Amino acid sequence: MAATKVPEVRDITRIERIGAHSHIRGLGLDDALEPRQVSQGMVGQLASRRAAGVILEMIKDGHIAGRAVLIAGQPGTGKTAIAMGIAQSLGPDTPFTALAGSEIFSLEMSKTEALSQAFRKAIGVTIKEETEIIEGEVVEIQIDRPATGTGAKVGKLTLKTTEMETIYDLGNKMIDSLSKEKVQAGDVITIDKATGKITKLGRSFTRARDYDAMGAQTKFVQCPEGELQKRKEVVHTVSLHEIDVINSRTQGFLALFSGDTGEIKSEVREQINAKVCEWREEGKAEIIPGVLFIDEVHMLDMECFSFLNRALESDLSPVLIMATNRGITRIRGTNYQSPHGIPIDLLDRLLIIATSPYTEKETRQILKIRCEEEDVELSEEAHTVLTRIGMETSLRYAIQLISTAGLVCRKRKGTEVQVEDIKRVYSLFLDEARSSQYMKEYQDSFLFNETQTASMDTS
Amino acid sequence: MCAFIYLFILAGCVKRVLASFMCVSSRSLWLRADSGSGPHESMAVQNWIDVLKSSQKTALIHDGKRKIHYLFADGKEMAEEYDLKTDELLCRKWRQKSTLGVPGVWQVEVGEPMNLPAALESDVIKENCSNPLFMRKDTKSSFQWRIRNLPYPKDVFSVSLAPSERCIIIKTTNKKYYKKFSVPDLDRSELPLDASALSYAHANNTLIVSYQKPKEIVALEQELLKEVKKLKGTSEADVDCKTQ
């Protein structure tokens, strides 16, 4: 829930780790939904990106509920990248829930319950609520640090309006966020009493002559009037699932933090649906249908697929995006074969976007983007060699070699990855094809080699 | 086809006109209640009595106090405590769930403000204990508010009524304290505010603001007390609370 979010002081030194798709910043489309060849971290896949752009517009409109899209293609052709691109372009206000097909299998929760929860996490509700805020001009701020350097800090903050003055005691978190916001005497601030969020409104007019020089963006405001504590209406977005959890039991609000939400009764859900519809009609709340992305959708079984069929018909349903890399295969939980491992009746309701393998030029481009993302300098020849490896083995393997080659290069105190570094890691780490080759040659000396006749069951 | 569209527009218009008419009529009622004369006034008092009567009540006698818990149809909860000997109202507090269903905290209307566990709240902001402390403490004949920790001379304070906003305003000339508060009892019964009923005194660093209870309120409270005494209250603490 947005209201309970505690301001994170750690933000100052946040370390971002580089993930497989952290270079994706959007779909790379222009205003007319025409894809640019290389943009926002996306390369190639022009047709599928254009298709995704159309879906994106549909989601942004927010009128269509319960549509489903399938992104199908070979491994390493950018299916997840396209989904991430959609998520990035939607921005933080539209709920985007991503899960892998195998996540729903749990002993604590039934498959359909897990799916319903995922569906409801992807529907946002913006709602107005009253909160108590403190608004005033800072008269004095005093922070005492203990002499030993460790232990709790003690602070006092004096705030005033044109009519009154109050002294507040500050907790540790409050002191941290006040110093992070660089609040000083003469600033006009608001503090959300429940969450402790501080907003600087500007400097008071009475302090306009304190300094000779001012920053260009220094804003001057009047000292607030009346009482220090006010009630104010704020708008925040919560997901339907969060409302479910809050109302599912008496101590439900705490369950959000401990993570133990368990199964939610269908009566609770029905009540909440009715309530939300009522709020919408009264203009109190707005429903934002978001996106539910299920990766590796072939991992779902027959029961899940029939549940999806029904769930998509509800008018409180998000846009469902699925991705799979399977061809014609067995539907999990049955003995029937079907394209993508998805039953025909569900396939019939889907818009299918196909991705195609990357060309050599595109592979080269993607590798370049990944090098920038991972901060690795690549010489021209090494780049060519790596592209070659990418084409002959797989794009993912080539991307793996970037960071490893970068490390090897750094160990020999080089600044730019050379062909030798690539060769070195290529010999150190096997790709899938070479590993299989090795298995075939030496299978007799491996343990349990008698099981080699049984084919792997992955569907 | 055309006829259908016309019908739709017509229906829409009628609905809008009706809505605006209803809006106007309710506002005029409110104005009349504000100006403070006519038969409507006693009707509002009666309304509040009816709301109280229709609520689910649980009574309990404990610790020399008669404790009553009210649960109203809209989900609001009210808890009252009366002194067993003097029948004085010691405490009245309200609790309501937020729009999303999060259980709220008790809001004290009458009586000592509750002391929140300090250790749990140490991370956020709270008023220093040297600040003025506002609380309401009624007597039989008047509403009374006490503000402690106000070490200023009496002539610093000014207490006035703002009938348009239906509240009482306390101001200080040294700009140290300012408070604007309403009288919920009068609001519930839609009774007017009367400047002549208001008085204030200052002694021992405490400002006491009194407001003479109108006769309607006195009558209502007596009736309520009679009603409350009729409730079968047990003297044991582990009474089975139907309303919880």
Side-chain angles (χ1 to χ4, degrees):
Chain A
M1 205 175 118
T4 56
K5 210 182 274 169
V6 182
E8 274 194 324
V9 186
R10 274 174 300 163
D11 266 4
I12 316 166
T13 52
R14 211 176 88 211
I15 304 162
E16 262 192 40
R17 304 190 67 205
I18 299 158
H21 293 103
S22 50
H23 60 284
I24 309 285
R25 276 172 288 277
L27 281 172
L29 304 173
D30 60 18
D31 291 338
L33 293 186
E34 287 302 318
R36 302 190 194 95
Q37 178 63 32
V38 181
S39 173
Q40 295 185 315
M42 298 288 261
V43 179
Q45 302 294 2
L46 299 184
S48 31
R49 270 161 59 202
R50 189 182 301 156
V54 174
I55 302 290
L56 182 68
E57 286 304 303
M58 187 176 87
I59 299 165
K60 276 185 180 164
D61 269 354
H63 294 306
I64 309 286
R67 284 302 163 84
V69 179
L70 176 70
I71 308 176
Q74 294 92 321
T77 50
K79 298 179 296 296
T80 315
I82 287 177
M84 291 299 143
I86 293 177
Q88 295 281 351
S89 331
L90 280 173
D93 292 330
T94 314
F96 184 93
T97 312
L99 79 159
S102 44
E103 268 176 54
I104 61 157
F105 297 97
S106 149
L107 285 177
E108 282 168 12
M109 207 182 277
S110 73
K111 290 171 278 188
T112 48
E113 171 68 20
L115 272 178
S116 321
Q117 288 196 3
F119 262 78
R120 293 176 76 85
K121 274 179 199 159
I123 299 271
V125 180
T126 57
I127 194 152
K128 288 188 197 123
E129 266 203 307
E130 262 197 350
T131 54
E132 219 157 62
I133 61 153
I134 303 168
E135 187 179 68
E137 181 188 325
V138 179
V139 180
E140 194 188 359
I141 175 165
Q142 177 195 341
I143 295 165
D144 298 329
R145 288 180 179 81
T148 51
T150 51
K153 283 177 272 187
V154 203
K156 264 187 193 150
L157 174 73
T158 313
L159 288 177
K160 70 162 187 184
T161 66
T162 53
E163 302 284 354
M164 67 182 290
E165 204 175 283
T166 305
I167 304 167
Y168 291 95
D169 285 335
L170 300 173
N172 234 343
K173 252 183 210 152
M174 214 60 211
I175 293 173
D176 285 344
S177 39
L178 277 171
S179 38
K180 190 187 147 206
E181 292 280 337
K182 298 191 181 66
V183 173
Q184 50 173 330
D187 287 339
V188 177
I189 58 170
T190 62
I191 303 171
D192 188 326
K193 230 187 159 190
T195 63
K197 189 175 177 289
I198 298 170
T199 322
K200 229 162 139 178
L201 299 179
R203 278 191 75 74
S204 170
F205 269 114
T206 52
R207 301 290 194 121
R209 287 160 187 275
D210 273 13
Y211 306 110
D212 290 340
M214 290 286 171
Q217 59 274 60
T218 311
K219 205 172 85 185
F220 287 102
V221 291
Q222 291 290 358
C223 181
E225 289 175 354
E227 280 179 279
L228 269 165
Q229 284 199 36
K230 291 174 185 131
R231 293 192 76 80
K232 202 177 173 188
E233 219 167 48
V234 289
V235 178
H236 52 89
T237 312
V238 289
S239 73
L240 276 183
H241 175 67
E242 283 163 330
I243 306 180
D244 286 350
V245 172
I246 289 167
N247 289 284
S248 65
R249 54 177 95 171
T250 43
Q251 76 280 25
F253 186 53
L254 291 172
L256 256 189
F257 298 108
S258 63
D260 169 36
T261 56
E263 297 208 358
I264 290 159
K265 286 192 200 116
S266 58
E267 300 94 73
V268 173
R269 291 221 169 94
E270 273 160 30
Q271 270 174 22
I272 283 164
N273 285 353
K275 203 65 187 244
V276 167
C277 287
E278 194 183 293
W279 290 340
R280 183 170 58 172
E281 274 164 25
E282 289 168 4
K284 278 191 205 156
E286 208 178 312
I287 295 176
I288 311 169
V291 177
L292 173 62
F293 173 58
I294 307 180
D295 211 348
E296 315 285 340
V297 73
H298 50 263
M299 293 305 291
L300 300 187
D301 62 10
M302 196 59 207
E303 290 166 43
C304 297
F305 287 126
S306 53
F307 173 82
L308 285 184
N309 267 340
R310 203 191 70 91
L312 282 174
E313 275 161 16
S314 150
D315 55 351
L316 272 180
S317 158
V319 172
L320 177 66
I321 299 179
M322 300 179 279
T324 180
N325 53 19
R326 297 297 153 92
I328 296 175
T329 179
R330 203 167 58 85
I331 304 168
R332 191 166 170 175
T334 66
N335 286 318
Y336 300 104
Q337 300 265 322
S338 185
H340 311 296
I342 297 173
I344 300 289
D345 57 339
L346 181 59
L347 275 177
D348 198 31
R349 292 161 202 248
L350 303 178
L351 293 165
I352 300 174
I353 301 176
T355 56
S356 49
Y358 290 110
T359 62
E360 182 162 352
K361 211 175 138 207
E362 285 162 354
T363 309
R364 195 181 169 85
Q365 196 69 52
I366 293 169
L367 288 172
K368 197 176 154 213
I369 291 172
R370 284 305 301 186
C371 285
E372 279 164 21
E373 186 71 23
E374 294 177 25
D375 219 7
V376 172
E377 296 261 345
L378 211 60
S379 73
E380 198 55 41
E381 297 87 53
H383 197 172
T384 314
V385 171
L386 201 59
T387 312
R388 215 26 221 261
I389 294 172
M391 289 309 288
E392 273 167 24
T393 62
S394 78
L395 182 60
R396 285 211 173 95
Y397 177 69
I399 289 174
Q400 308 263 38
L401 291 190
I402 294 175
S403 40
T404 43
L407 260 176
V408 168
C409 165
R410 223 184 312 151
K411 281 292 154 202
R412 65 161 179 87
K413 298 201 170 54
T415 51
E416 212 181 38
V417 173
Q418 301 295 335
V419 182
E420 286 74 51
D421 302 319
I422 302 280
K423 273 187 184 159
R424 179 86 193 277
V425 286
Y426 184 76
S427 62
L428 280 175
F429 302 105
L430 300 181
D431 60 283
E432 180 263 327
R434 274 188 293 157
S435 179
S436 314
Q437 184 61 37
Y438 183 79
M439 293 291 184
K440 275 179 199 139
E441 283 170 27
Y442 295 102
Q443 58 181 344
D444 296 338
S445 41
F446 278 100
L447 225 53
F448 306 127
N449 62 326
E450 63 271 11
T451 54
Q452 40 108 0
T453 44
S455 65
M456 194 173 70
D457 183 13
T458 48
S459 63
Chain B
M1 187 64 200
C2 259
F4 261 110
I5 292 168
Y6 272 121
L7 255 174
F8 260 108
I9 293 170
L10 209 75
C13 280
V14 167
K15 213 185 253 178
R16 211 162 308 144
V17 166
L18 264 176
S20 63
F21 173 74
M22 274 154 71
C23 192
V24 166
S25 65
S26 70
R27 201 175 309 147
S28 66
L29 277 181
W30 177 245
L31 281 178
R32 220 187 318 150
D34 234 12
S35 61
S37 57
H40 176 70
E41 205 171 275
S42 58
M43 206 177 85
V45 177
Q46 193 57 45
N47 275 350
W48 173 238
I49 294 175
D50 289 343
V51 169
L52 277 176
K53 276 184 181 161
S54 65
S55 68
Q56 284 186 57
K57 290 176 277 289
T58 313
L60 159 76
I61 293 168
H62 176 64
D63 211 4
K65 291 172 199 160
R66 187 189 301 278
K67 301 180 177 181
I68 303 109
H69 179 269
Y70 303 79
L71 180 69
F72 299 104
D74 59 357
K76 276 189 186 175
E77 289 175 76
M78 181 172 91
E80 283 183 338
E81 286 176 18
Y82 291 92
D83 193 307
L84 263 186
K85 291 193 193 90
T86 60
D87 286 338
E88 247 176 60
L89 179 65
L90 298 174
C91 173
R92 180 188 290 153
K93 49 196 180 182
W94 289 84
R95 185 165 73 170
Q96 190 182 11
K97 280 187 176 177
S98 79
T99 2
L100 289 178
V102 183
V105 288
W106 287 102
Q107 302 284 336
V108 178
E109 185 186 308
V110 179
E112 202 86 22
M114 279 187 292
N115 294 323
L116 293 164
L120 207 111
E121 307 276 318
S122 68
D123 265 350
V124 284
I125 191 166
K126 69 168 192 286
E127 281 91 356
N128 190 280
C129 55
S130 66
N131 283 315
L133 201 69
F134 178 90
M135 66 172 279
R136 183 173 146 194
K137 180 95 179 61
D138 286 3
T139 62
K140 280 269 172 208
S141 58
S142 56
F143 304 122
Q144 210 168 71
W145 296 268
R146 288 156 185 265
I147 302 112
R148 288 187 217 140
N149 281 343
L150 279 175
Y152 315 116
K154 197 196 173 192
D155 54 352
V156 166
F157 302 101
S158 74
V159 180
S160 58
L161 269 182
S164 56
E165 291 169 87
R166 291 189 64 82
C167 47
I168 300 170
I169 299 172
I170 302 171
K171 275 187 198 166
T172 47
T173 51
N174 61 0
K175 305 293 181 204
K176 288 292 182 192
Y177 189 71
Y178 177 90
K179 181 87 186 172
K180 206 161 131 182
F181 57 93
S182 61
V183 192
D185 298 76
L186 296 182
D187 289 347
R188 282 193 285 265
S189 302
E190 295 180 21
L191 292 168
L193 284 168
D194 180 13
S196 64
L198 190 68
S199 64
Y200 69 99
H202 184 267
N204 302 328
N205 291 347
T206 306
L207 180 74
I208 301 176
V209 179
S210 309
Y211 185 96
Q212 191 80 38
K213 283 180 189 169
K215 57 181 193 308
E216 291 92 341
I217 295 284
V218 176
L220 183 143
E221 284 181 350
Q222 277 166 357
E223 194 181 336
L224 179 65
L225 203 61
K226 234 183 281 168
E227 197 76 25
V228 160
K229 281 184 176 167
K230 266 190 261 169
L231 283 173
K232 210 172 67 185
T234 36
S235 53
E236 269 133 70
D238 57 342
V239 63
D240 184 28
C241 181
K242 296 191 291 291
T243 54
Q244 279 266 325

